[in-house]
Amino acid sequence: MHFTSPDESLSAGTWTSTPGKWHAFTDKDEYCYIIEGHCALIHEDGTRQDFRTGDSFMIPNGFRGFWEVMETTTKHFVIRDCTPVD
């Protein structure tokens, strides 16, 4: 982690993952910049977006689907927590 706001609602850092597939989180906005590798976001409706070194993209709050890493991937990220506060 490079930054976490005092209320922990905003964070930024660098993340690396080896190949695999898992459910993406919801209730967050995430900006990503791929430093190295090949990964994809697969929406629950089957729509797929592939990303490679140099790509940047936004995963909006409410996205439902999967991350898939085909080649070890490193990204910079900024995440904003959108979880409703009671």
Side-chain angles (χ1 to χ4, degrees), residues 63-74:
F63 174 82
R64 300 218 186 278
F66 298 90
W67 269 104
E68 183 175 8
V69 173
M70 284 71 70
E71 297 172 7
T72 297
T73 297
T74 300

Side-chain angles (χ1 to χ4, degrees), residues 17-77:
S17 177
T18 56
K21 184 177 178 181
W22 56 91
H23 281 281
F25 54 66
T26 58
D27 298 328
K28 296 178 182 359
D29 286 321
E30 180 177 4
Y31 169 80
C32 302
Y33 174 78
I34 304 299
I35 300 167
E36 182 176 13
H38 178 199
C39 62
L41 284 174
I42 306 162
H43 192 275
E44 66 185 359
D45 70 6
T47 305
R48 178 187 183 96
Q49 293 180 284
D50 281 76
F51 303 101
R52 297 186 188 326
T53 303
D55 289 339
S56 61
F57 55 97
M58 185 78 179
I59 306 169
N61 175 24
F63 174 82
R64 300 218 186 278
F66 298 90
W67 269 104
E68 183 175 8
V69 173
M70 284 71 70
E71 297 172 7
T72 297
T73 297
T74 300
K75 69 176 180 177
H76 289 311
F77 65 86

